[in-house]
Structure formats: structure tokens, C-alpha cells
Amino acid sequence: MKLTVSIIKADVGSVGGHTKPSARMLDTVRGEVTKAIDNGLLIDSFVCHTGDDIAILMTHTNGEGSREVHQFAWQTFLAATSVAKTSGLYGAGQDLLVDAPSGNLRGAGPAVAELAFEHSLSGARPAESFMMFAADKCGPGAYNLPLYLAFADPMYCAGLMLPQMIKGFRFYIIDMDNTVGDSIIELDAPEDAYHIAALLRDNERFGIDRIVSRTYGEPGAAVSAQRLHSIAGKYTGKDDPVAILRNQGIFPAPEEIISPFAKAHFVGGDARGSHVMPLMPVPLNTPVTGIYCLPIVSCVGFSIDREGRFSESHTDFFDNPAWDEVRRRAQRKAIEMRSQGWSGAAMLPYSELEYGGFRDTVGTLLKRFRLRDERRPAVAD
Ligand code: 13P
Ligand code: MG
Ligand code: MG
């Protein structure tokens, strides 16, 4: 069967500030998901949260960008929004940016990542396993470095030296500044590795949209690489990206995919979406209660059976004592960065400040600048 794995995620309200959704909101989402499985729209689903974002992970046979699946997610987030409103929660409906999207939710607010593939548990994929990443308080470029290292650098993924991966992967990179449509360049690792790095170094403008196996033509990764402030013009949250990565066999193994996250690399986001702070790997369903927010990322793994159903158990990759060490280092890096407050590299550049109010403040001041008399250019008569 042609199976699609979809993640649709949104922040539609949170408890005590932008920390986490309420239990009632999550119950509401799970209730809607159960109905969608019962009525045959979805094969299976898993609901969790990372910080204040609810992720709905789904399998179905409707393909990528399915109107029915996207509308189901939208209606479900609307139902959770009304629970959030009733309870007076913060940011109720925050990510539902348009009134009524006609179909596909890409660009309407929620983050979307989808992979469709032939699912027969045979040939190159005798078993199907994958991981979902969900990050809060950061932009889509947060995945640029770890995914590059996992799919293009044998220092992190020794599997790249094996026959089934040695031809490398094709990176589909999106220019997130281009709001007319999805503007994509295709570059092949390893030949184009330096070109890929030249783009991916700019986390705010370029993001990985998709990664495909060059040997098998099988899609390996999809990321919700969209900048809502570019699309909506104004947005007071961060994009908080999700990603799906198939693993094992013709793709990197889980450890090859997660080990780059041990860097706790600095990303744009954090408080008011306007700072630069390290990305801390956390267990599923972690609220954002760090000293100054802190961008966080969770990772859950599933296998998929012949009918497209998730395994009855999941693996919570960052819920392991090995990651405590990384979390401590991330926190130390965060404290160091915070010690310089608003200065220089601690905050994002002017154009990336997610709270437009910062720009309004500077804009007002810019109008008050005057050229000094002694160096004022002579005005031509
Ligand atoms: P969210 O996008 O997670 O709502 O975060 C917004 C923010 O401004 C954090 O300070
Ligand atoms: Mg929020
Ligand atoms: Mg969020």
C-alpha cells in the first residue's frame, strides 16, 4: 500500500504561560483522533506535546497534503482551542493563523511534515521504523546541522560507508524567505556537501525540506521548513518545527541520527523567539520551564506493522540517563550565553526578532537620528 506518515503540530493554548497544553486539551485531541481512526480516515495515531505544542502523528493512505487529513487536524486544533479558551489559557488558538484554510495546512500556521512511501515490508524495507522529532522555542533551521551530520558526514553516521548508503542522499533545501511558493534546490551529498553546508549554515533562511536516498529513491526525512513570520508578516511565536525520519537499513540508524543532538548546538528562538540558545534534547511531554525558556527537542520512535499501524509501544529516545549529561552541558552553555543578556550574538539580528515590537522600538528611534552639522553633506542648490 502507499502509506503516508503525517505529523501536524500546533500551539493552540497553554497553561501558566507558554509552557504546555492542558490535560483536557490533550484529551480532546485524543478523542478526535480515536473518532478519525474509527471512521477510517486514519489508520493509526499518536498524540504528544513538546513544550506548548501538540503534535498529532498519523498514518493513513490519503497521501501527502490530503485535504481530509489536514482539515481533520485543523478541526481538532479548533476543538482544543475552544477548551483552552474556556479555561482562560495563554495563547488560545495562537497557531491557527487563517480563518478557514481551504485544504492543505502548510502556510496556515500548524507545522506539517509528511512522508509517503510504498509500504509492503519487503525489498529494501523488510521492516519499517521511523522517528518523529518535535522542537519548541526554535525555528526550522534547528534541524539543519544535526540532519546534515546524520545524512552526509561519516564522522556521525558510519553507515554512510555501507553499500546501501555509500551513494549518499539528495537534500531538498528550501529558501524560507521566498514566500511566493516553495522554492527548492536539490543538492547531492557527498559531491555537493560544501554547497549544502554553504546554505544550511544560515538557519534562518534555508532549511532542509526533505532528504531522499540516491540509491533507492526512497524518502528518508521530511521537515516542516516554513517560517511563519515570512508567511504571515507578523507572528509572535516561533515555528517550533517537526520532522519525520525513517531509520535503519537503507537509512541511518537511530544512534547515528540522534548523536549530533549531543552538541546542544545554538539555535535561534528561545524567549520571545528572539534569542540564540542551545537546543536541549528532552523526553516527550516536557513543559518549557527552563531558566530563560531554552529551545527543546523530543524524539519518539515507532515501528509500523503490515496494516500501517504503529507498534503498541514507542521509544522515547531522549528519556535516557545518557542525555542527562547533554542536558547539563546545554544548561551550562545557556547560562554562559545569558550572561551577556541582549548583547550581540545572544539575541537574533534585527530582521529575525520574532516579536515585531522590538523592531518598532528601534524604528521609532531611527526616526530621531540626525546628521551632525559639521559633517552634513552640502545640499545642491
Ligand atoms: P511559542 O512559539 O512556543 O509559543 O513561543 C513563543 C515565545 O515567544 C517564547 O517566549
Ligand atoms: Mg506558545
Ligand atoms: Mg511552541
Side-chain angles (χ1 to χ4, degrees), residues 170-193:
R170 177 160 296 178
F171 283 68
Y172 293 67
I173 296 173
I174 186 164
D175 178 354
M176 296 182 282
D177 277 1
N178 192 334
T179 53
V180 177
D182 290 350
S183 176
I184 305 279
I185 186 172
E186 298 178 25
L187 291 169
D188 286 339
E191 298 92 308
D192 292 328

Side-chain angles (χ1 to χ4, degrees), residues 231-266:
I231 294 167
K234 180 169 177 282
Y235 179 63
T236 54
K238 213 54 183 174
D239 309 282
D240 301 341
V242 289
I244 311 172
L245 276 75
R246 296 164 82 192
N247 65 23
Q248 304 280 185
I250 64 170
F251 299 116
E255 63 275 23
E256 291 165 333
I257 292 168
I258 57 177
S259 69
F261 288 90
K263 289 186 180 304
H265 64 302
F266 287 105

Side-chain angles (χ1 to χ4, degrees), residues 76-100:
T76 300
F77 285 128
L78 278 179
T81 298
S82 72
V83 173
K85 280 192 176 144
T86 312
S87 309
L89 300 191
Y90 176 76
Q94 175 184 289
D95 282 357
L96 308 184
L97 296 182
V98 301
D99 280 343

Side-chain angles (χ1 to χ4, degrees), residues 142-325:
Y143 296 121
N144 284 4
L145 179 62
L147 265 59
Y148 172 87
L149 296 176
F151 284 87
D153 188 341
M155 287 287 284
Y156 290 82
C157 178
L160 293 169
M161 296 182 280
L162 295 171
Q164 62 267 39
M165 277 185 271
I166 201 148
K167 234 176 112 182
F169 289 91
R170 177 160 296 178
F171 283 68
Y172 293 67
I173 296 173
I174 186 164
D175 178 354
M176 296 182 282
D177 277 1
N178 192 334
T179 53
V180 177
D182 290 350
S183 176
I184 305 279
I185 186 172
E186 298 178 25
L187 291 169
D188 286 339
E191 298 92 308
D192 292 328
Y194 298 166
H195 289 121
I196 295 171
L199 294 176
L200 296 186
R201 56 158 286 285
D202 186 346
N203 281 348
E204 314 309 327
R205 175 163 183 184
F206 300 106
I208 296 171
D209 171 77
R210 180 169 293 259
I211 301 174
V212 175
S213 161
R214 291 175 66 194
T215 306
Y216 298 90
E218 286 283 329
V223 179
S224 61
Q226 297 231 297
R227 298 295 315 279
L228 293 175
H229 83 165
S230 307
I231 294 167
K234 180 169 177 282
Y235 179 63
T236 54
K238 213 54 183 174
D239 309 282
D240 301 341
V242 289
I244 311 172
L245 276 75
R246 296 164 82 192
N247 65 23
Q248 304 280 185
I250 64 170
F251 299 116
E255 63 275 23
E256 291 165 333
I257 292 168
I258 57 177
S259 69
F261 288 90
K263 289 186 180 304
H265 64 302
F266 287 105
V267 298
D270 196 73
R272 303 188 189 277
S274 303
H275 291 78
V276 176
M277 285 281 262
L279 183 63
M280 179 187 275
V282 295
L284 291 177
N285 304 320
T286 296
V288 167
T289 57
I291 294 170
Y292 203 71
C293 266
L294 208 58
I296 58 172
V297 60
S298 68
C299 176
V300 63
F302 281 100
S303 290
I304 303 180
D305 75 8
R306 196 168 296 282
E307 278 72 44
R309 290 181 303 237
F310 296 137
S311 41
E312 76 287 354
S313 322
H314 61 264
T315 302
D316 186 346
F317 279 98
F318 295 138
D319 187 15
N320 176 297
W323 293 96
D324 290 343
E325 184 64 26

Side-chain angles (χ1 to χ4, degrees), residues 350 358-370:
Y350 181 77
F358 285 125
R359 274 195 293 278
D360 296 342
T361 303
V362 175
T364 312
L365 294 170
L366 284 175
K367 292 193 193 110
R368 291 174 49 195
F369 278 78
R370 298 285 178 268

